[in-house]
Amino acid sequence: MEEAVGTKNDADTPRVGELAITPLRKRRLSGELYERDPKVEALIAELAVLPRDELTARAAITKRSDPGYVPSECLVYFIRASRRDNNEVRFERLYRILIERVLRSLPRAERSHGKNESLTRGIVRDKVSGRFVELLSADRATYVEKLDYFEVRFDGALASLRRDAQEQAWRDENRSQPLEYDEDSGELSPEVEAAAGAHDPFATSDFDDPAYRLRLDAAIEDLPPEQSRIIHMLRQGFPIDSKEPDVMTIAKALGRSEKTVRTYRDKAFAALRAAMADGEER
């Protein structure tokens, strides 16, 4: 699996102890190669000398707090290494364990209360797991640099797949949903405009009050799906639109025009203002 000491790749292959750990190939924008965490490389060297059954048993531990837990970064390494030693049995065992970890980390459709949201969660789950399987499968035939990030920071790489899948699911879902107003004019009713005004539920002095934030979170969840998503993205700092082509915006994520997003935002603000005022009266 690991290259023996003294091979022609000595100059390019970093070593941990007496074992050579195959380096990553993907480069950062600065030109530097991706590098695993030193602790991960040390653990890879430790695990590489274990009997295969013992490694599989360690890999099957699910609690991260367990001293024997094997980080997913290490599992990705050994799965990829099984291609080099042509060990299909080892690949299959570790592959199943890793895929189970991925599925456990993704939202389950049945946990959602709304049908549309439940469907979206199911789509996201399928897209993420399917894309990850594609990367692993492609790497069996030829080196896939995109998998390098999973050896550097697995959770971050998986979160990136999840964001991409979520944005695509939202775009697909919203293309099939009718608009709640005339998109040609983009006009709100006078009542909605008056209710929205300059109201920003996150700028109020009450936002520091935990009770206020709890009521606000509940009110956001009660919004129609698209309005709720816009509010959540605003809270995360996403701009509605941008002149920079590489910037992810709310308009891009939802597949809507800037005017449409602003209209939905104002509708959401109006609804939140009404909900918060109603809560205060009670």
Side-chain angles (χ1 to χ4, degrees):
M1 182 182 302
E2 285 72 28
E3 296 173 6
V5 175
T7 63
K8 63 181 180 180
N9 294 321
D10 282 355
D12 301 322
T13 304
R15 300 184 181 283
V16 178
E18 297 182 353
L19 290 175
I21 308 300
T22 305
L24 301 174
R25 301 182 188 177
K26 186 174 179 61
R27 294 184 180 274
R28 304 180 186 278
L29 294 178
S30 62
E32 298 176 348
L33 285 170
Y34 274 46
E35 293 183 352
R36 305 177 188 88
D37 186 289
K39 293 181 180 179
V40 169
E41 290 216 342
L43 185 55
I44 288 173
E46 174 187 326
L47 296 170
V49 299
L50 294 179
R52 293 177 181 176
D53 289 344
E54 187 173 344
L55 172 60
T56 303
R58 286 276 301 273
I61 296 174
T62 58
K63 291 184 178 180
R64 297 195 182 200
S65 59
D66 191 304
Y69 178 80
V70 177
S72 296
E73 290 85 353
C74 295
L75 287 187
V76 175
Y77 174 84
F78 284 111
I79 287 174
R80 302 178 83 183
S82 68
R83 171 177 61 83
R84 295 192 295 274
D85 62 17
N86 198 28
N87 192 322
E88 292 297 328
V89 174
R90 182 174 228 179
F91 166 81
E92 186 64 25
R93 290 177 178 175
L94 297 179
Y95 168 84
R96 289 181 179 179
I97 291 172
L98 186 59
I99 294 302
E100 287 177 1
R101 287 189 184 186
V102 170
L103 292 176
R104 282 197 301 270
S105 72
L106 297 174
R108 294 182 179 273
E110 62 268 25
R111 292 181 180 176
S112 175
H113 298 295
K115 289 184 178 179
N116 288 341
E117 185 179 359
S118 177
L119 177 60
T120 300
R121 287 191 175 193
I123 292 173
V124 170
R125 182 181 176 87
D126 291 343
K127 284 181 177 291
V128 173
S129 59
R131 178 55 178 158
F132 186 60
V133 168
E134 286 177 6
L135 291 174
L136 287 178
S137 299
D139 193 71
R140 299 295 289 170
T142 184
Y143 194 93
V144 176
E145 290 189 353
K146 289 184 178 180
L147 274 178
D148 285 5
Y149 188 28
F150 288 87
E151 291 195 51
V152 174
R153 191 160 71 87
F154 186 88
D155 289 343
L158 194 63
S160 181
L161 286 187
R162 183 171 173 177
R163 284 194 299 272
D164 291 345
Q166 182 76 72
E167 290 163 4
Q168 182 61 53
W170 285 353
R171 286 195 293 268
D172 292 345
E173 177 184 330
N174 292 325
R175 288 193 189 102
S176 63
Q177 291 180 350
L179 292 176
E180 299 176 0
Y181 73 106
D182 184 355
E183 189 171 18
D184 293 331
S185 65
E187 297 296 330
L188 288 171
S189 68
E191 293 79 7
V192 171
E193 287 185 331
H199 176 68
D200 183 347
F202 309 111
T204 176
S205 59
D206 292 331
F207 191 69
D208 292 332
D209 181 1
Y212 175 89
R213 292 199 301 271
L214 286 174
R215 289 194 293 113
L216 178 60
D217 288 342
I220 292 173
E221 294 306 315
D222 286 339
L223 292 171
E226 194 160 35
Q227 293 180 28
S228 177
R229 289 165 188 161
I230 289 172
I231 296 301
H232 281 303
M233 294 186 77
L234 286 172
R235 293 183 73 174
Q236 295 170 20
F238 285 93
I240 291 178
D241 199 17
S242 175
K243 294 181 180 180
E244 299 295 330
D246 296 332
V247 174
M248 174 50 66
T249 66
I250 299 175
K252 287 181 182 178
L254 300 182
R256 297 293 195 187
S257 68
E258 177 188 1
K259 180 182 289 186
T260 300
V261 173
R262 293 187 186 280
T263 299
Y264 277 134
R265 177 203 60 187
D266 291 344
K267 281 189 173 185
F269 278 179
L272 292 176
R273 179 182 181 183
M276 299 307 289
D278 182 58
E280 291 174 356
E281 292 176 359
R282 294 180 184 179

